[in-house]
């Protein structure tokens, strides 16, 4: 009886490996938390694969004992380490076999969930941990061995579906937790081995179109994912607190002899100094998560890097085909930008600065000789929008540069705001509270209200047909902007007015006017 039971446990592990191999890419495509870098499926697969392949023992108990002893040391990534910790705790109880299989399996699940929670200071709900915990609840409610396994799977599946409502990042991307999906492969395998029945599980929502959601493209705060194993020379009971000062996503597993650490950090040198003080590093793996994320998301021949203001504009740029959108407030240095460009898998890169200061940084980046890089000299958000509207992945790099560069010559842009104090500029005597409009950073008209100011602007530049784009922020009354759109149509019937809510970061109205090119407009630009 014991031999048959242990054999089924081992078969379940190998069947889990098969399922993870089948679902590796799918699970990677779910990977949005804690960092959207597309490796959860690979990490869980390699954790189990390397452990099982390195375990060569004909005795069933000794085989499971070796798996239990080695799996945490072989673990990769956040989910891989949590999964391995569960299996270590799970197998430790399985090895204490008694005649009641249902009882020993329940105790094994309880020990597994305790072990997986133990390695984390602040467990996050909506992850693999939630699925593990709920599967244990199902195991406890079952009355016999098969019912326990069935309920464990059902509870785990239900918990997995709920994860997308528990974590904002999962809800935004409309996916379930990647690690939780991987763990369900283990629950499925137990069920199939012990019942000799197959489960056909429908996949949760996950497709390449999900990658257009900005959460997928949010760059990691910490560049490096570091995993290391060290032999301990001495104890450091404050090590976890010290690690917290160096990064996040910290997982610490240790015994009397060894310590295993997983951390996301920008302070690799400080981390190594800390570990060298307490032991000797035997294995270390440092992954550049930013580069990994780019390789995962951006398998494109031509990549476009651009700058935005706030979340709404970022979403707009992504929807128009941008590969990377950087917020201006990030204040990235020239070196940071160079690193992003170098990390891009694409060899052809178009840069849209949308700002004079950023243009200067981009001009220097163009001098890099490792890739084909061109700057389309967009100096405002509307120019960036116009350039992206004329970007076509079906066309060549040079064709895109020409089309995008020509397109921004067809628009004039500026902003509309309210004066905060009385001011005298050239021919203008401006009172506090007056509206004004600029073109190319020069104030050219004013008005008593928004509608009058835009009316004066259009008359000043003698435009009555084409496209007017108004980007307003949350501080602007949207009803007033809608009213402006309606009123302008009366006086300018050939003018198409488009409005767009740029979000809370837009504190003035940004506009662009696109002329319908004819002889007059050609003369105007020349």
């Amino acid at each position: 009886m014991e031999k048959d039971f242990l054999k089924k446990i081992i078969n379940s592990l190998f069947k889990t490996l098969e399922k993870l191999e089948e679902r590796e890419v799918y699970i990677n495509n779910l990977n949005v938390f804690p960092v959207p870098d597309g490796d959860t499926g690979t990490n869980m697969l390699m954790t189990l694969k390397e452990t099982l392949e390195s375990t060569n023992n004909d005795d069933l108990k000794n085989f499971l004992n070796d798996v239990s002893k080695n799996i945490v040391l072989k673990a990769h990534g956040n989910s891989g380490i949590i999964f391995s910790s569960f299996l270590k705790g799970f197998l430790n109880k399985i090895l204490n076999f008694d005649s009641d299989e249902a009882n020993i399996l329940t105790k094994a699940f309880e020990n597994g969930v305790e072990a997986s929670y133990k390695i984390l200071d602040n467990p996050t709900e909506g992850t693999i941990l939630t699925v593990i915990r709920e599967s244990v609840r199902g195991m406890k409610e079952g009355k016999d061995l098969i019912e326990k396994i069935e309920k464990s799977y059902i509870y785990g599946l239900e918990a997995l579906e709920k994860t997308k409502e528990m974590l904002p990042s999962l809800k935004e991307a409309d996916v379930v937790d990647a690690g939780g999906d991987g763990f369900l492969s283990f629950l499925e395998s137990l069920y199939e081995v012990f019942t000799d029945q197959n489960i056909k599980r429908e996949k949760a929502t996950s497709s390449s179109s999900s990658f257009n959601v900005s959460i997928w493209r949010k760059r990691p705060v910490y560049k490096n994912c570091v995993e290391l194993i060290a032999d301990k020379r001495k104890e450091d009971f404050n090590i976890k607190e010290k690690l917290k000062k160096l990064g996040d996503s910290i997982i610490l597993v240790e015994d009397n002899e060894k310590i295993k650490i997983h951390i996301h950090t920008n302070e690799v040198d400080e981390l190594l100094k800390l570990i060298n003080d307490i032991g000797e590093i035997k294995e270390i793996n440092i992954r550049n998560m930013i580069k990994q994320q780019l390789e995962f998301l951006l398998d494109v021949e031509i990549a476009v890097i651009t700058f935005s203001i706030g979340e709404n504009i970022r979403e707009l740029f992504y929807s128009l085909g941008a590969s990377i959108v950087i917020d201006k407030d990030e204040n990235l240095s020239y070196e940071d930008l160079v690193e992003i460009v170098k990390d891009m898998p694409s060899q052809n890169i178009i840069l849209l600065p949308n700002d004079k200061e950023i243009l200067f940084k981009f001009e220097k980046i163009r001098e890099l000789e490792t890739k084909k890089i061109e700057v389309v000299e967009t100096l405002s958000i509307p120019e960036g929008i116009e350039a992206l509207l004329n970007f076509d992945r079906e066309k060549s790099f040079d064709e895109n540069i020409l089309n995008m560069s020509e397109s921004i010559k067809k628009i004039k842009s500026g902003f509309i705001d309210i004066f905060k104090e009385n001011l005298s500029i050239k021919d203008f005597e401006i009172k506090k509270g007056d509206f004004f409009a600029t073109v190319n950073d020069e104030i050219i008209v004013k008005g008593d209200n928004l509608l009058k100011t835009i009316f004066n602007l259009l008359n000043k530049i003698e435009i009555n047909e084409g496209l007017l784009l108004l980007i307003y922020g949350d501080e602007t009354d949207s009803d007033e902007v809608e009213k402006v759109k309606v009123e302008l149509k009366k006086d300018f019937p050939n003018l198409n007015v488009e409005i767009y809510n740029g979000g809370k970061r837009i504190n003035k109205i940004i506009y662009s006017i696109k002329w319908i090119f004819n002889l007059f407009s050609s003369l105007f630009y020349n």
Side-chain angles (χ1 to χ4, degrees):
M1 188 174 183
E2 177 184 9
K3 184 177 179 180
D4 183 58
F5 180 74
L6 296 181
K7 189 178 290 186
K8 285 182 178 179
I9 295 296
I10 293 173
N11 288 342
S12 297
L13 294 176
F14 279 99
K15 184 172 276 291
T16 301
L17 179 61
E18 291 175 9
K19 289 181 178 291
L20 289 174
E21 286 174 335
E22 292 171 1
R23 296 176 71 83
E24 177 187 2
V25 174
Y26 172 72
I27 295 172
N28 282 343
N29 288 346
L30 295 174
N31 179 199
V32 69
F33 181 87
V35 176
D37 53 0
D39 64 358
T40 297
T42 301
N43 286 337
M44 295 186 75
L45 169 62
M46 296 312 295
T47 296
L48 192 55
K49 184 181 180 71
E50 291 179 8
T51 304
L52 295 178
E53 287 182 350
S54 64
T55 305
N56 186 17
N57 201 311
D58 293 334
D59 182 84
L60 299 179
K61 273 198 169 183
N62 287 338
F63 181 92
L64 290 174
N65 186 61
D66 288 348
V67 171
S68 173
K69 188 165 67 173
N70 296 324
I71 194 164
V72 173
L73 297 179
K74 297 286 185 183
H76 298 262
N78 266 300
S79 294
I81 296 177
I82 295 170
F83 181 42
S84 69
S85 296
F86 170 84
L87 287 179
K88 181 179 179 69
F90 173 82
L91 293 176
N92 284 344
K93 282 295 181 185
I94 291 292
L95 289 166
N96 294 324
F97 183 82
D98 62 32
S99 58
D100 188 343
E101 295 180 358
N103 181 58
I104 197 65
L105 195 62
T106 302
K107 287 182 178 179
F109 263 75
E110 289 175 334
N111 205 48
V113 74
E114 183 180 341
S116 57
Y117 270 85
K118 188 177 180 180
I119 61 173
L120 298 166
D121 261 358
N122 298 300
T124 302
E125 290 303 320
T127 65
I128 182 175
L129 289 169
T130 303
V131 181
I132 291 174
R133 188 193 65 240
E134 290 303 295
S135 70
V136 175
R137 193 162 68 87
M139 180 68 63
K140 289 179 179 178
E141 290 191 7
K143 294 182 175 62
D144 56 36
L145 179 65
I146 298 304
E147 187 178 351
K148 283 177 176 292
I149 294 172
E150 287 176 344
K151 283 185 175 292
S152 176
Y153 169 73
I154 292 169
Y155 278 46
L157 180 60
E158 290 174 350
L160 178 65
E161 290 299 321
K162 291 176 182 176
T163 57
K164 71 168 64 176
E165 300 298 324
M166 300 174 76
L167 277 177
S169 56
L170 299 182
K171 187 171 186 177
E172 183 177 346
D174 190 28
V175 295
V176 296
D177 179 68
D181 189 280
F183 183 75
L184 207 68
S185 295
F186 172 68
L187 299 179
E188 287 176 339
S189 299
L190 275 177
Y191 178 87
E192 291 180 1
V193 168
F194 277 85
T195 65
D196 200 26
Q197 298 179 43
N198 291 327
I199 293 175
K200 288 188 177 180
R201 178 161 59 99
E202 290 186 9
K203 294 179 179 179
T205 303
S206 175
S207 66
S208 58
S209 63
S210 299
F211 301 155
N212 289 326
V213 182
S214 64
I215 189 69
W216 289 98
R217 299 174 183 266
K218 186 176 181 181
R219 286 196 315 287
V221 174
Y222 296 103
K223 172 183 173 181
N224 304 295
C225 174
V226 182
E227 294 175 345
L228 61 85
I229 298 172
D231 288 339
K232 288 162 58 173
R233 286 193 300 267
K234 65 178 183 179
E235 292 287 349
D236 185 343
F237 297 106
N238 295 318
I239 186 170
K240 188 162 280 191
E241 294 304 315
K242 294 176 181 177
L243 290 172
K244 288 178 182 177
K245 296 178 181 178
L246 300 179
D248 66 7
S249 294
I250 298 164
I251 300 179
L252 177 66
V253 183
E254 59 181 325
D255 55 27
N256 294 331
E257 298 178 354
K258 294 184 183 293
I259 182 170
K260 175 154 187 168
I261 292 172
H262 172 282
I263 184 173
H264 295 169
T265 182
N266 292 327
E267 309 293 339
V268 174
D269 290 342
E270 289 297 315
L271 173 66
L272 298 183
K273 182 180 177 183
L274 171 63
I275 302 306
N276 283 324
D277 284 343
I278 63 173
E280 181 181 357
I281 297 175
K282 292 297 185 180
E283 294 180 30
I284 185 166
N285 180 29
I286 302 174
R287 290 185 292 108
N288 183 328
M289 293 191 294
I290 295 175
K291 183 175 183 178
Q292 182 177 311
Q293 181 193 47
L294 294 177
E295 290 173 347
F296 170 58
L297 294 176
L298 300 177
D299 183 17
V300 293
E301 186 174 339
I302 303 173
V304 180
I305 302 176
T306 189
F307 277 73
S308 75
I309 304 173
E311 187 175 317
N312 288 20
I313 301 297
R314 183 173 70 244
E315 289 281 3
L316 176 61
F317 280 157
Y318 278 136
S319 71
L320 293 175
S323 303
I324 292 183
V325 183
I326 303 168
D327 197 292
K328 289 182 180 180
D329 278 1
E330 291 186 50
N331 293 320
L332 297 186
S333 66
Y334 169 72
E335 290 74 21
D336 292 330
L337 293 174
V338 168
E339 190 166 351
I340 289 173
V341 170
K342 286 183 176 179
D343 286 342
M344 295 288 289
S346 308
Q347 294 301 308
N348 303 297
I349 298 175
I350 298 173
L351 306 173
L352 305 178
N354 305 336
D355 185 279
K356 285 183 179 178
E357 292 182 9
I358 298 170
L359 173 62
F360 175 71
K361 293 180 182 179
F362 272 5
E363 288 287 358
K364 292 176 68 179
I365 291 176
R366 184 159 51 182
E367 298 170 8
L368 292 173
E369 298 179 356
T370 54
K371 298 186 178 185
K372 190 173 183 180
I373 303 169
E374 286 293 340
V375 178
V376 176
E377 296 184 2
T378 53
L379 300 180
S380 65
I381 294 297
E383 287 187 0
I385 293 171
E386 185 64 25
L388 281 168
L389 284 169
N390 288 272
F391 174 61
D392 186 348
R393 294 198 181 279
E394 299 300 316
K395 294 183 177 178
S396 70
F397 183 78
D398 291 336
E399 284 179 303
N400 272 298
I401 295 298
L402 177 62
N403 292 343
M404 295 168 83
S405 298
E406 288 299 314
S407 71
I408 62 175
K409 294 178 183 178
K410 299 177 184 179
I411 71 169
K412 288 291 183 182
S413 63
F415 64 87
I416 301 167
D417 202 357
I418 302 174
F419 276 103
K420 304 298 187 292
E421 57 186 21
N422 295 331
L423 202 62
S424 178
I425 303 176
K426 294 184 179 180
D427 299 331
F428 286 106
E429 289 295 332
I430 304 172
K431 298 178 182 178
K432 179 181 179 181
D434 280 348
F435 282 77
F436 67 94
T438 71
V439 172
N440 297 333
D441 296 328
E442 180 181 353
I443 298 174
I444 63 168
V445 296
K446 65 176 183 176
D448 298 335
N449 54 49
L450 178 60
L451 176 62
K452 185 68 175 177
T453 305
I454 296 175
F455 187 89
N456 292 341
L457 173 66
L458 294 171
N459 285 326
K460 177 73 174 180
I461 57 181
E462 300 180 347
I463 294 300
N464 56 26
E465 60 181 339
L467 172 66
L468 171 65
L469 171 65
L470 300 175
I471 302 174
Y472 64 97
D474 288 348
E475 294 180 8
T476 302
D477 186 345
S478 59
D479 290 339
E480 183 180 5
V481 181
E482 289 282 358
K483 182 179 178 181
V484 165
K485 179 179 179 179
V486 172
E487 293 299 320
L488 285 175
K489 198 66 180 175
K490 297 177 182 177
D491 292 294
F492 302 94
N494 295 320
L495 183 70
N496 185 21
V497 182
E498 298 289 341
I499 61 177
Y500 183 78
N501 186 344
K504 59 185 178 182
R505 293 274 303 286
I506 304 295
N507 53 19
K508 60 189 74 173
I509 292 179
I510 302 171
Y511 79 86
S512 68
I513 301 173
K514 181 177 180 179
W515 281 264
I516 296 175
F517 254 46
N518 50 30
L519 178 60
F520 167 78
S521 56
S522 298
L523 291 172
F524 181 90
Y525 278 109
N526 290 334

